[in-house]
Amino acid sequence: LHTLSEGARQANLPLMSGFADQLQSVYASVLDARLASDDAFFTTMIAAHEKLLDMVDQVAAGQNILPVSAELQAGLDSLSLAAAADVA
C-alpha cells in the first residue's frame, strides 16, 4: 500500500493516494492492537481493496478516478474512529 500510495502521489492522483494512506493507517491500527480484526473490519477492508483495484483499473484505462462511495468512506471512518478511541 505504501508503494501504491507514493506512486499515486507522484502521478498527481490524490484520490488514490489518500485512499491508500487511509487503508494503510487502518492496517497499522490492527497491527498495533488498537483495532480488532472483526467481521466489520474484514467487510469494510474487502470493499476498500475492491475500490482500490477499481481505481487502478480506471487509471490504466485512462479514465477519471471515481470517488469513494459515502457508505465505504463511512465504514473506513468508523474503523479509524474506533482505533483513535482506543488510544484515548
Side-chain angles (χ1 to χ4, degrees):
L1 282 172
H2 177 75
T3 302
L4 181 61
S5 173
E6 288 302 314
R9 189 170 286 109
Q10 291 175 8
N12 196 28
L13 300 168
L15 283 175
M16 183 185 294
S17 177
F19 190 61
D21 285 342
Q22 188 172 19
L23 298 183
Q24 191 172 359
S25 176
V26 170
Y27 280 122
S29 296
V30 171
L31 291 174
D32 293 342
R34 292 181 286 122
L35 182 65
S37 54
D38 58 11
D39 287 343
F41 166 81
F42 285 108
T43 299
T44 301
M45 296 308 283
I46 288 169
H49 277 274
E50 289 173 359
K51 175 59 181 169
L52 192 56
L53 289 173
D54 288 345
M55 289 178 169
V56 170
D57 289 343
Q58 289 162 355
V59 170
Q63 300 171 346
N64 291 329
I65 296 175
L66 299 175
V68 177
S69 71
E71 180 182 3
L72 179 54
Q73 189 61 58
L76 287 170
D77 291 346
S78 177
L79 292 175
S80 295
L81 286 172
D86 188 58
V87 172

